[in-house]
Amino acid sequence: MKRLILSFVLSLVFSFNFFAYDFSVKKDSHGKTIYYNITSAPDAKIKTCEITYSDCVIVDGEAKYNQNNEHYKGYISCEAKVSFQGVEYWVTGIGDHAFQDTEIIEIDLLSSVISFFLGEEMVVNIGKDAFKNCTFLKQFIMQDNLSKKIGERAFENCTSLERVWLISNTPPTHTINNRISSMVFHGCTNLNEFFIESLKPENFQMAEDAFDIQDGKIKCRLTVVPGNKVYFEDVQPWCLFSEIIEDEKAECAIEDIQTRNQRLANNPTFDMTGKKTSSQKKKGVFIVNGRKVMRKE
């Protein structure tokens, strides 16, 4: 009897499953269910949430995420706003462990704003371990007008990941605070191109150990738009890339991405409470494609 009780207790300690999302929405454009956690206070005027994982299994003290998730596979689309129980929420980012241990191939962040107006700053947050062990993920492209903050180990062990593009269609006068944390791309053995559209390195801070370093070099090509190479080739840790090139084709690709983004979003206009409003309104402050716009007339 004692052995039976002990066995039952050990099974509880070493293997159990729990769910950690506030609500789910069915379905994205690929027929998938996406899970969310509410990040705003109950009395907040603007409601916000972030994408999260569906479940977590603890086995022998080690956490395994999305083990019972049949939706985080293949192609995933993210919406700018979602509704739950009659309340609309802005999607402000991808939470810790959100897609960890899943079989996603590509995630579409182009058809959504994924933005939130907070003072003078708009931020896209990608949490720690967000895509860790996503061994089928081949590319990651983020295009918006916002600051990007990528948490620790966000893409660790994404062994099929070949290219990462982080594009900011932001005027030079806008303050940008981009941050790539520690060990973000460790174990990404096939990553061969990392592209950023940033005027200067100080606009895009990167931890010295964000990438694997072998023989003093990051075994990956850094691609920048024409005219920007000089800003990166003598600055740590950017100068550690095995190659830094300027590519005119990158500008064409950016235009293609931005055109697609505008077509999908159809230039939605939101007021400062996050409600979609008519583009015919002439006076006031609005959010258009993730950017604050003031209309005087």
Side-chain angles (χ1 to χ4, degrees):
M1 182 64 178
K2 289 182 179 180
R3 287 183 179 180
L4 181 61
I5 294 174
L6 179 59
S7 176
F8 176 73
V9 171
L10 288 175
S11 67
L12 290 178
V13 173
F14 292 106
S15 179
F16 62 90
N17 192 336
F18 63 88
F19 302 91
Y21 59 90
D22 292 326
F23 66 92
S24 61
V25 175
K26 301 179 182 180
K27 300 176 179 176
D28 75 346
S29 60
H30 296 292
K32 309 293 176 63
T33 296
I34 307 297
Y35 301 88
Y36 299 90
N37 274 334
I38 298 171
T39 55
S40 55
D43 59 348
K45 188 175 182 180
I46 300 178
K47 305 295 186 181
T48 63
C49 66
E50 65 181 10
I51 299 171
T52 189
Y53 52 90
S54 64
D55 62 276
C56 179
V57 179
I58 306 297
V59 179
D60 295 335
E62 183 179 358
K64 299 288 187 181
Y65 295 87
N66 297 299
Q67 297 302 289
N68 298 308
N69 191 337
E70 294 297 321
H71 298 280
Y72 286 5
K73 295 181 179 181
Y75 295 87
I76 302 291
S77 294
C78 300
E79 300 297 330
K81 295 178 72 176
V82 294
S83 296
F84 175 64
Q85 295 183 345
V87 179
E88 287 190 324
Y89 293 86
W90 283 87
V91 182
T92 60
I94 299 173
D96 295 351
H97 312 289
F99 294 100
Q100 183 174 339
D101 302 322
T102 64
E103 297 179 2
I104 66 169
I105 296 174
E106 183 176 336
I107 181 167
D108 184 1
L109 301 178
L110 305 180
S111 60
S112 62
V113 180
I114 311 187
S115 64
F116 173 52
F117 181 75
L118 183 61
E120 290 297 323
E121 185 178 21
M122 286 183 172
V123 181
V124 175
N125 286 307
I126 298 180
K128 66 180 181 181
D129 301 319
F131 296 92
K132 184 176 181 179
N133 300 330
C134 290
T135 56
F136 291 87
L137 184 64
K138 293 186 176 182
Q139 67 177 12
F140 182 80
I141 301 175
M142 180 185 290
Q143 188 272 325
D144 49 53
N145 304 321
L146 315 174
S147 297
K148 304 169 182 64
K149 295 184 179 180
I150 303 178
E152 295 178 355
R153 304 178 302 277
F155 294 90
E156 186 177 37
N157 295 330
C158 290
T159 53
S160 296
L161 188 62
E162 296 179 354
R163 69 171 184 162
V164 173
W165 280 36
L166 303 179
I167 304 168
S168 293
N169 182 26
T170 307
T173 55
H174 186 77
T175 301
I176 285 292
N177 181 24
N178 295 297
R179 172 68 180 172
I180 301 177
S181 302
S182 177
M183 300 177 66
V184 168
F185 297 106
H186 276 213
C188 297
T189 52
N190 282 306
L191 184 59
N192 56 55
E193 182 180 34
F194 182 69
F195 171 79
I196 62 169
E197 185 189 23
S198 180
L199 294 178
K200 294 182 180 180
E202 53 262 36
N203 294 332
F204 217 122
Q205 301 176 18
M206 184 173 72
E208 292 188 0
D209 63 343
F211 289 80
D212 288 321
I213 298 178
Q214 302 176 14
D215 301 323
K217 287 290 184 180
I218 299 172
K219 304 299 183 182
C220 178
R221 179 177 67 250
L222 175 63
T223 303
V224 299
V225 296
N228 281 12
K229 179 179 177 180
V230 65
Y231 297 126
F232 293 90
E233 56 188 0
D234 294 321
V235 178
Q236 292 274 7
W238 302 101
C239 62
L240 298 181
F241 281 89
S242 59
E243 184 181 12
I244 302 178
I245 66 170
E246 296 180 346
D247 191 351
E248 294 181 359
K249 293 180 180 179
E251 290 187 312
C252 297
I254 292 171
E255 291 177 359
D256 290 342
I257 291 171
Q258 292 170 350
T259 299
R260 179 183 175 224
N261 188 37
Q262 291 174 357
R263 183 179 70 251
L264 292 172
N266 197 27
N267 295 323
T269 300
F270 301 92
D271 63 22
M272 297 311 296
T273 68
K275 293 182 179 179
K276 193 170 183 179
T277 185
S278 171
S279 60
Q280 300 302 315
K281 285 193 174 185
K282 296 182 179 181
K283 191 174 181 180
V285 180
F286 305 93
I287 298 174
V288 182
N289 282 343
R291 183 183 293 174
K292 186 176 70 170
V293 175
M294 179 177 289
R295 294 174 180 165
K296 297 182 180 180
E297 295 293 340

